[in-house]
Amino acid sequence: MQIPFFHDHLLMSKVSAIKNIIENQLADTDCFLVDTESNSTETVIKFFIDGNAGVKIDFCAKLSRTISKELDNLGLEEDAFRFEISSPGIEKPLVDIRQFPQHINRTLRIEQDENIIKGMLKKIDGNNLEIKIPKSKKLPDQIVNIEFNQQIKIKVIPSFK
């Protein structure tokens, strides 16, 4: 279905307004906007935030209420779409270098092109990630350095210990 230009333009101005509100609200915190996502009809826009120590649900709820009030003040009703504020969750890839410090000493799954490695994040230096790959029957532990960029898909492997 083709979305009329005026609807698309109105939606983008609302998304931009919400991004601005989020960034202003997060300015004095250790949290940051990570990503946005929408469904195929763009009736639900999700804004994902993260922080140095993760993000609590109460913080997301408070931010959501603040955004609603600000949209009302700007005269931008929420009738064309609904927005959600949440943390990315463990199933989402890490897409911002600022997400990595909270995952030091956790196991990551790193995909680049056809290569997949699993290893423990040991250190971050700028955009460089130091990963410890555990020994195998034939090889000792290895330390590899990977430069973080958008072509690499990195997920945290949950530990249930």
Side-chain angles (χ1 to χ4, degrees), residues 22-36:
I22 291 171
E23 288 170 354
N24 287 336
Q25 291 295 312
L26 300 181
D28 294 329
T29 71
D30 71 345
C31 295
F32 45 91
L33 181 63
V34 174
D35 201 7
T36 60

Side-chain angles (χ1 to χ4, degrees), residues 93-137:
L94 303 176
V95 296
D96 189 306
I97 195 69
R98 296 175 291 179
Q99 291 178 279
F100 286 88
Q102 66 180 314
H103 298 295
I104 288 180
N105 292 322
R106 289 189 175 158
T107 303
L108 305 178
R109 182 180 192 273
I110 303 161
E111 284 182 49
Q112 186 173 23
D113 302 322
E114 301 296 318
N115 300 319
I116 297 174
I117 62 170
K118 292 180 184 177
M120 184 176 290
L121 177 62
K122 299 308 285 179
K123 187 170 120 181
I124 304 157
D125 184 13
N127 277 349
N128 196 40
L129 307 173
E130 185 177 287
I131 308 293
K132 178 182 176 185
I133 300 173
K135 67 181 177 180
S136 65
K137 291 180 181 178

